[in-house]
Amino acid sequence: MTRSLVRRCLRVRARLGIAAAAVFTPLVFAPVGASAQVLGYAAAARAPLFSEGGVAAPGAGLADDEGAVLPSRLRRQVVDYPTREASGTIIIDTPNTALYYVLGNNRAIRYGVGVGREGFTWSGTETISHKAEWPDWHPPAEMIARQPYLPRFMAGGPGNPLGARAIYLGSSVYRIHGTNDPSTIGKFVSSGCIRMTNADVEDLFRRVGIGTKVVVLPKSAGRFEAHRGHPAQSRAEAVALRRQTARLAVPAAAD
């Protein structure tokens, strides 16, 4: 009787073991795939190691601007902009962190931009000498001297601080380019380059060509907005600003 009871217990345990294996097998193997997906997503969303100014950028967003929300004044839009500059000209309004692409008939496309931090702003006139998609980054010697931890070279790609496009200005070290940190748009953060969201720099990239004129207004010019409905006031201020761009003031180094 005791042996019969033991045999029955063993049979019950065997059946329970098979059932348990069927239930728990998916639970054992499923997290492997789930973990890989989560880690992959986390890696893509990780903040970039370097911003365009060569400084670590904690908390920065994705390089493709996904999820980036800009204030209305920094969003790409067509605005009233009286100017004597020819259509197709780029005007960078440094104090207002705005870039205007002149359309003609007192209209322009306005983009929000990031500009040089204190001591690294500049002004003057240049022309576009070169354009590149997903450009490589070669930090200039002056920047490496200030920040020796920077890489000497970074291949183009979503993590590159130059972003999706670069527009090179004359023979200078300055560029208009994208960014891997869209939260810096509207701020004085770079070493002299003009940064845009990747979506905006791709739009501008398609509109401009080699030889396009680029006018950079000085930071000391004071604030200026192309106000809708006030063309006379805007024109007077624009003329005053243009008179202040006669002398080129370039700092010792830029990124």
Side-chain angles (χ1 to χ4, degrees), residues 17-94:
I18 293 171
V23 171
F24 288 108
T25 295
L27 299 179
V28 171
F29 290 101
V32 175
S35 296
Q37 292 176 358
V38 171
L39 289 174
Y41 176 81
R46 190 165 45 199
L49 295 176
F50 303 102
S51 72
E52 169 233 354
V55 181
L62 293 174
D64 61 1
D65 307 330
E66 187 176 333
V69 178
L70 297 176
S72 59
R73 76 173 189 87
L74 298 175
R75 296 174 193 161
R76 182 171 72 235
Q77 57 190 295
V78 176
V79 298
D80 294 333
Y81 192 75
T83 179
R84 293 181 181 177
E85 297 292 347
S87 59
T89 302
I90 293 173
I91 301 174
I92 297 168
D93 183 357
T94 304

Side-chain angles (χ1 to χ4, degrees), residues 18 41 43 49 56 66 96 100 109 113 124 132 145 165 221 227 237:
I18 293 171
Y41 176 81
L49 295 176
E66 187 176 333
N96 287 309
Y100 293 90
I109 302 174
V113 296
R165 303 288 185 272
H227 298 291
E237 293 184 3

Side-chain angles (χ1 to χ4, degrees), residues 1-13:
M1 186 173 181
T2 302
R3 291 179 181 176
S4 176
L5 181 60
V6 169
R7 283 196 297 269
R8 291 172 62 186
C9 289
L10 289 175
R11 283 197 296 269
V12 171
R13 288 184 61 183

Side-chain angles (χ1 to χ4, degrees), residues 197-222:
T197 66
N198 283 337
D200 281 355
V201 78
E202 288 173 352
D203 180 83
L204 182 66
F205 190 94
R206 290 190 292 268
R207 297 176 186 276
V208 301
I210 304 302
T212 294
K213 183 180 180 181
V214 180
V215 179
V216 181
L217 304 180
K219 183 180 179 182
S220 58

